[in-house]
Amino acid sequence: MKNFRQTKEAWTNDYLDLYLHAKNTGDEKWQEEILEKLYLADQFVIKELEEQHEQKLWKRFDQINEQLLAIYGQLRQQLDRYEKEKLQEKAIELKNQRIDISQKITSAKGSFTN
């Protein structure tokens, strides 16, 4: 994932390109809107980074759920005691990871600053 500075630089360059296009087309209202967004660049970039981070966490959450479903499917099969215990241990580990990710998703907002 890009850091704040890299993301802000890319975002700013994109909006400067849009500003030049608006200027070349003579659209003064659009130019003003772009300038307003450029003045608030930090806020827009922080929001974008937060959304990317949250999406990454949700993706990992979904992966863990898929792994848990596979383990539960295996547990329904006839297994020896050792195999069953190993799968149960893995399920507990994954559940703990899922709890950790849930907490990170909840606290993800406001986690990016300069």
Side-chain angles (χ1 to χ4, degrees), residues 19-113:
Y19 180 81
L20 289 175
H21 181 67
K23 185 176 179 179
N24 290 337
T25 60
D27 192 334
E28 292 179 12
K29 183 177 179 187
W30 191 21
Q31 284 177 268
E32 289 175 24
E33 290 172 4
I34 294 169
L35 282 177
E36 287 175 16
K37 288 184 180 180
L38 283 166
Y39 288 127
L40 301 172
D42 286 357
Q43 293 174 12
F44 284 99
V45 172
I46 288 169
K47 183 178 178 185
E48 183 177 322
L49 287 171
E50 286 174 343
E51 289 171 358
Q52 289 174 5
H53 183 63
E54 188 175 346
Q55 287 173 357
K56 183 179 174 183
L57 290 171
W58 277 113
K59 183 177 179 178
R60 179 65 186 132
F61 186 88
D62 291 341
Q63 290 170 341
I64 289 171
N65 280 339
E66 290 172 13
Q67 290 175 308
L68 281 168
L69 287 173
I71 287 173
Y72 292 143
Q74 292 173 340
L75 284 170
R76 282 189 237 123
Q77 300 171 6
Q78 292 199 353
L79 302 170
D80 65 39
R81 183 176 175 189
Y82 176 78
E83 290 174 325
K84 196 170 194 171
E85 286 176 3
K86 284 294 180 188
L87 286 173
Q88 289 171 336
E89 288 174 10
K90 182 65 176 171
I92 290 169
E93 178 186 327
L94 289 169
K95 286 179 183 181
N96 287 333
Q97 287 179 22
R98 189 171 61 179
I99 290 168
D100 182 51
I101 290 174
S102 296
Q103 291 170 343
K104 287 179 181 177
I105 289 170
T106 302
S107 66
K109 295 293 182 195
S111 62
F112 289 92
T113 57

